[in-house]
Amino acid sequence: MSTNASAQPASAPEPQAQPSGTYPPLEGATRIIGSVALSTAVFMNVLDTSIANVSIPTISGDLGVSTSQGTWVITSFAVANAITVPLTGWLTQRFGQVRLFLISTLLFVLASWLCGFSPSLEALIVFRVLQGAVAGPMIPLSQALMLASFPKAKAGMALAVWSMTTLVAPVAGPLLGGWISDNYSWPWIFYINVPVGLLAAWISWRIYSKRESVTRKLPIDKVGLALLVVWVGALQILLDKGKELDWFASSTIILLACVAVVAFVFFLIWELTDAHPVVDLRLFKERNFSVGAITLAVAYGVFFGNVVLLPLWLQSNMGYTATYAGLVTAPVGLLAILLTPIIGKMLATRDPRYLVTFAFIVFALVCFMRAGFNTQTDVRTLMIPTIIQGAAMAAFFVPLTSITLSGIEPWRIPAASGLSNFLRLTAGAFGTSISTTLWENRATLHHAQLTETARPGQQAFDHTLQTLNGLGMSDHQALSAIDGLINAQAFTMSAVDVFYASAVIFLLLTGLVWLARPKSAARSGGGASEAAAGAH
């Protein structure tokens, strides 16, 4: 590459930087097999973000550490993953889409194998860092390769196929992790990635090896990379450990917050002024990208917060095991899988904003239904809103991704996908922390309010105490049982509060998506064909 080309600013790239050249879309069985291979790799990747969550007690016990120490197995993966996702655009231009995707997949398999063989917590954390780091580029690159596999007119279908795996995997993770931990041993939650990943990598190589993107030797933005590592790492650790350390009552959390804020400010200044930024923040100048990415991030954060909260409530207050709690939440994938292809086809003729609005209204309806839960709610009542939620999942992810990537120049698609996925994953971490913290704080408030009426001298309290005494309980045992009942009610009321607040947020998001200005469906396929143009 010539000197003047290498000095060219990121905002005006050279023509050969287009990621996929002039490769035609795949046809017939080749396209189907390639899509399955990409989807399998993504499913494996996304699954690993949640599959270890329910296995932490087992892992901690086997390795001889406390549960709080064991949570670093989750934190280490999340931090490394969050750092490398926004680097996808820069890495793609340097190494190529196909080569980077295959290397990431194979290293993910190796890291998974090493995680299973870890003899100590320290070794497991090191290998989880490696696993999270190499997992970063896999999701946005699979999206770009999937779009390149389909004709522009079927871009909505490409996004639909891709999104099914990213939506179902977080729900399936806890169920599969719990089942494996109950019936086998925890290393198998990592070993299962080995055959799946090798098969996905082999098929992807056979199909995509001759469709490599053009590369160029970009200078390494060392300052930007260092600042990214510092602020994202500090933020992720803050979010993962905040509740455990009592948030800003802890000097550690305050220090992490200061480091994250200062490093983030310097990162913004540096990346917006550097000629070759490691993360292309200029994408936010695009109206559709900004609105789409922010709306997707907020919606996913609220959605994921509910995904985490519901099984927690079922296990801690309703007496469900991890496996049965997973079975209650698993049906969410049914309508999502059935309707996503239909939504993909509708993008060719419908304004994606209407589809997103429909999805948010359904999400709000589901949350309002859950706001009616109580400690006597049966399995059927629990599962009905879960099943309905599948329709909303299908209708919000694909159209919002379409809006986000529409109008983006071809060479910027991997960077745009990486940055939007980074926002989505970070919002998911925020959603988890906020929902679980609110749940516990509101439970404390409700417990205090309930104990104001549940005290000696009140008819209901005295009657319950006498009844428990009549069953052979001592006063101490009876009071402990009553406190358990109050706790169950308090945490249930708190969960209801979170569900109600989630419904309100989804209703507000229906207005946010209309700030986007995608071209008319008749001309642009609802924005999806423009996204596909970036992959051809």
Side-chain angles (χ1 to χ4, degrees), residues 65-81:
V65 298
S66 66
T67 302
S68 61
Q69 289 175 301
T71 57
W72 280 102
V73 173
I74 301 170
T75 304
S76 55
F77 181 94
V79 170
N81 188 249

Side-chain angles (χ1 to χ4, degrees), residues 339-406:
L339 295 181
T340 299
I342 298 175
I343 297 296
K345 289 183 178 180
M346 291 177 66
L347 275 177
T349 56
R350 299 288 193 279
D351 187 329
R353 293 173 297 180
Y354 285 108
L355 298 174
V356 175
T357 300
F358 165 78
F360 287 161
I361 291 174
V362 174
F363 268 131
L365 172 64
V366 167
C367 291
F368 278 128
M369 293 175 70
R370 287 176 175 163
F373 287 172
N374 56 54
T375 54
Q376 304 300 316
T377 301
D378 57 19
V379 174
R380 178 176 175 273
T381 306
L382 290 170
M383 293 180 70
I384 288 175
T386 300
I387 294 172
I388 295 173
Q389 182 174 272
M393 289 169 60
F396 103 94
F397 203 88
V398 180
L400 271 177
T401 303
S402 167
I403 292 172
T404 303
L405 299 181
S406 65

Side-chain angles (χ1 to χ4, degrees), residues 245-479:
L245 299 176
D246 197 20
W247 292 105
F248 291 98
S250 165
S251 58
T252 302
I253 295 300
I254 293 174
L255 177 61
L256 287 170
C258 292
V259 170
V261 170
V262 172
F264 176 67
V265 171
F266 277 100
F267 173 79
L268 285 180
I269 297 171
W270 183 269
E271 294 298 281
L272 290 173
T273 55
D274 190 68
H276 295 279
V278 73
V279 179
D280 187 7
L281 297 180
R282 296 178 181 88
L283 284 163
F284 285 105
K285 291 182 179 179
E286 304 291 336
R287 179 172 184 159
N288 288 337
F289 176 83
S290 295
V291 175
I294 292 172
T295 305
L296 178 59
V298 176
Y300 185 82
V302 178
F303 159 74
F304 199 72
N306 280 264
V307 166
V308 172
L309 178 60
L310 184 59
L312 275 177
W313 171 65
L314 291 175
Q315 292 176 68
S316 61
N317 300 110
M318 299 291 283
Y320 284 69
T321 64
T323 302
Y324 281 107
L327 287 172
V328 170
T329 57
V332 74
L334 295 177
L335 280 179
I337 293 173
L338 291 174
L339 295 181
T340 299
I342 298 175
I343 297 296
K345 289 183 178 180
M346 291 177 66
L347 275 177
T349 56
R350 299 288 193 279
D351 187 329
R353 293 173 297 180
Y354 285 108
L355 298 174
V356 175
T357 300
F358 165 78
F360 287 161
I361 291 174
V362 174
F363 268 131
L365 172 64
V366 167
C367 291
F368 278 128
M369 293 175 70
R370 287 176 175 163
F373 287 172
N374 56 54
T375 54
Q376 304 300 316
T377 301
D378 57 19
V379 174
R380 178 176 175 273
T381 306
L382 290 170
M383 293 180 70
I384 288 175
T386 300
I387 294 172
I388 295 173
Q389 182 174 272
M393 289 169 60
F396 103 94
F397 203 88
V398 180
L400 271 177
T401 303
S402 167
I403 292 172
T404 303
L405 299 181
S406 65
I408 300 295
E409 296 94 328
W411 65 279
R412 300 175 85 186
I413 285 291
S417 179
L419 188 53
S420 64
N421 275 285
F422 166 73
L423 292 176
R424 179 177 62 84
L425 293 173
T426 303
F430 269 103
T432 300
S433 295
I434 293 172
S435 63
T436 53
T437 301
L438 278 177
W439 181 49
E440 293 192 358
N441 290 346
R442 295 288 297 177
T444 302
L445 174 65
H446 286 301
H447 186 278
Q449 292 173 340
L450 289 171
T451 53
E452 290 177 1
T453 55
R455 65 179 190 272
Q458 296 291 328
Q459 182 178 357
F461 179 87
D462 292 340
H463 176 72
T464 303
L465 185 63
Q466 291 172 5
T467 302
L468 293 175
N469 287 150
L471 295 174
M473 290 186 181
S474 65
D475 284 347
H476 178 73
Q477 291 172 327
L479 290 173

Side-chain angles (χ1 to χ4, degrees), residues 25 57 62 82 126 132 142 157 174 179 202 215 217 274 301 314 345 372 383 387 413 438 467 515 521 530:
D62 285 355
V126 169
S142 66
M157 184 60 65
W179 183 81
W202 179 73
T215 61
K217 291 185 178 180
D274 190 68
L314 291 175
K345 289 183 178 180
M383 293 180 70
I387 294 172
I413 285 291
L438 278 177
T467 302
L515 296 177
E530 287 185 334

